Amino acid sequence: MSRGTTVTVELGLDTFGDLTLDDDGAPEPAARVIRHLVDQAVLADSVGVDFIGVGEHHRPDFAVSAPDVVLAGMATRTKRIRLGSAVTVLSSDDPIRVFERFSTIDALSNGRAEVVLGRGSFTESFPLFGFDLRDYEVLFAEKLDLFTKLLDEGPVSWQGSTRPPLVDQEVWPRTESGRLTTWIAVGGSPQSVVRAASYRLPLMLAIIGGPAQRFAPFADLYRRALDEAGSPHLPVAVHSPGHVAETDDLALEQLFGHFKANRDRIGAERGWPPMTTDEFVSEVRSGALYVGSPETVARKIASTVQALGLSRFDLKYANGPMPHSQLMRSIELYGTQVVPRVRELLAEG
């Protein structure tokens, strides 16, 4: 297999907690959506999914503004699935509080917590929490630097421009394992890839458009940077959207309207034209949408794992206001059919 891929690849799921419709097409309140998320994690745990990540947003079309609280709820009702963010917007948060919250989730889950750090693709949290977007770069750079020092779980001394200095500061609770699993999520910036390697943190590539193979140079750059730093190779993962149903046609039919509603709402804010059917189908056939029957989705995931040498693939299974019942069926098919089939395909080479 290319780039050192192994058949022990982890297969996970991600959700941003999109506000959903019920089976009759009526909008569901955010409180119910959050309770549904916990039920979705319980199902994912029971059908063998390795990881579930919950995103952070501060806008009306998503239910989750505090993913760590949702993850704590999931921790108390699951047994084996790993639990993490997708992503934690570190730039507008406090690194110490982030560490404290996720080390607490780690305690509740018996060591299953992960934090995925990133800048996020939305900016609502900056004015909400009193940060200036003009400080976008320095906020992330300094807060990431501080967070990585916390991972050693000992006294921390640190100084920067975005918060008061720390002198031999200890942070509690510490994890039982002595190390909180931490990833850096990037969207395709070479500088961000090299930064992940410089801190010796695993890399999460967010691929939301175009073929995954075009990100192979970023995975290679990351591994070269680790080599130059004298570090062993670390995991590389991909996060991409998709949906699983019994047949290819049903999966496309179920997802298109919901995906378009989400894409067009965000596009209107960013100056994008409305999504066309042809654009959607093109992304399914050769781009970043993993949509179809279990066999179709498994083959596309296996191809991506091999092309980039991945240690984990996370399917963003919630995309727009798709009903909870359809999300649950997608999770069930992913865990019972897609996950074992991907491993079979990788074993076959």
Side-chain angles (χ1 to χ4, degrees):
M1 295 182 190
S2 63
R3 295 183 170 85
T5 304
T6 70
V7 294
T8 57
V9 62
E10 294 183 343
L11 284 304
L13 293 166
D14 288 338
T15 176
F16 292 169
D18 307 55
L19 289 182
T20 54
L21 304 175
D22 64 21
D23 290 330
D24 296 322
E28 295 196 286
R32 187 181 303 157
V33 172
I34 290 170
R35 292 191 291 270
H36 284 335
L37 290 179
V38 178
D39 291 337
Q40 290 161 19
V42 171
L43 175 61
D45 187 41
S46 71
V47 295
V49 177
D50 294 310
F51 171 85
I52 188 163
V54 181
E56 172 192 348
H57 295 84
H58 304 269
R59 45 185 290 136
D61 40 347
F62 297 102
V64 181
S65 59
D68 40 7
V69 180
V70 177
L71 292 166
M74 292 175 173
T76 63
R77 290 190 54 200
T78 57
K79 296 180 180 178
R80 48 159 298 280
I81 194 168
R82 297 190 63 80
L83 307 162
S85 54
V87 302
T88 295
V89 184
L90 187 64
S91 307
S92 57
D93 211 328
D94 182 271
I96 293 175
R97 292 294 290 145
V98 171
F99 179 87
E100 290 175 337
R101 296 193 300 259
F102 277 88
S103 63
T104 300
I105 297 168
D106 201 63
L108 289 170
S109 65
N110 290 305
R112 292 183 283 128
E114 301 185 5
V115 60
V116 182
L117 303 174
R119 304 168 190 249
S121 60
F122 295 87
T123 59
E124 289 84 0
S125 62
F126 286 81
L128 180 63
F129 299 121
F131 295 102
D132 193 328
L133 274 172
R134 290 175 294 184
D135 298 327
Y136 186 83
E137 293 292 340
V138 69
L139 283 167
F140 185 73
E142 288 199 357
K143 292 184 178 189
L144 177 62
D145 186 61
L146 173 53
F147 192 90
T148 57
K149 296 185 185 310
L150 299 172
L151 293 175
D152 291 333
E153 302 195 13
V156 172
S157 295
W158 181 91
Q159 186 169 350
S161 63
T162 55
R163 60 161 294 139
L166 301 174
V167 179
D168 291 333
Q169 180 67 54
E170 299 204 51
V171 178
W172 313 99
R174 294 174 177 171
T175 63
E176 286 183 296
S177 68
R179 186 81 174 181
L180 176 65
T181 300
T182 303
W183 300 71
I184 295 184
V186 305
S189 160
Q191 295 82 3
S192 296
V193 170
V194 171
R195 175 157 47 198
S198 70
Y199 283 112
R200 301 189 181 189
L201 293 178
L203 179 70
M204 175 75 70
L205 292 167
I207 303 179
I208 59 174
Q213 287 75 9
R214 69 189 178 94
F215 280 76
F218 294 103
D220 291 340
L221 172 62
Y222 175 69
R223 294 184 177 105
R224 290 200 307 273
L226 289 173
D227 288 339
E228 291 172 6
S231 171
H233 282 191
L234 296 170
V236 177
V238 159
H239 151 110
S240 285
H243 177 61
V244 190
E246 284 79 359
T247 67
D248 290 349
D249 288 345
L250 180 60
L252 268 70
E253 177 187 337
Q254 288 180 341
L255 181 61
F256 175 67
H258 302 302
F259 190 88
K260 177 176 170 59
N262 180 61
R263 165 66 164 69
D264 289 354
R265 182 175 55 251
I266 296 169
E269 300 170 4
R270 303 183 181 184
W272 304 338
M275 172 174 251
T276 65
T277 303
D278 287 346
E279 182 184 357
F280 175 76
V281 172
S282 176
E283 283 292 337
V284 171
R285 289 178 176 169
S286 58
L289 280 175
Y290 293 71
V291 180
S293 67
E295 180 69 16
T296 296
V297 173
R299 286 188 174 278
K300 190 168 183 177
I301 291 173
S303 176
T304 298
V305 169
Q306 289 179 313
L308 275 66
L310 301 181
S311 297
R312 188 164 89 199
F313 179 93
D314 289 347
L315 182 77
K316 181 177 175 287
Y317 68 93
N319 304 280
M322 179 178 284
H324 171 62
S325 59
Q326 292 181 7
L327 295 174
M328 291 287 273
R329 181 57 175 157
S330 183
I331 292 169
E332 181 183 7
L333 291 171
Y334 184 76
T336 60
Q337 298 187 38
V338 174
V339 168
R341 183 60 177 144
V342 169
R343 294 191 172 125
E344 285 179 0
L345 291 166
L346 293 173
E348 294 167 2

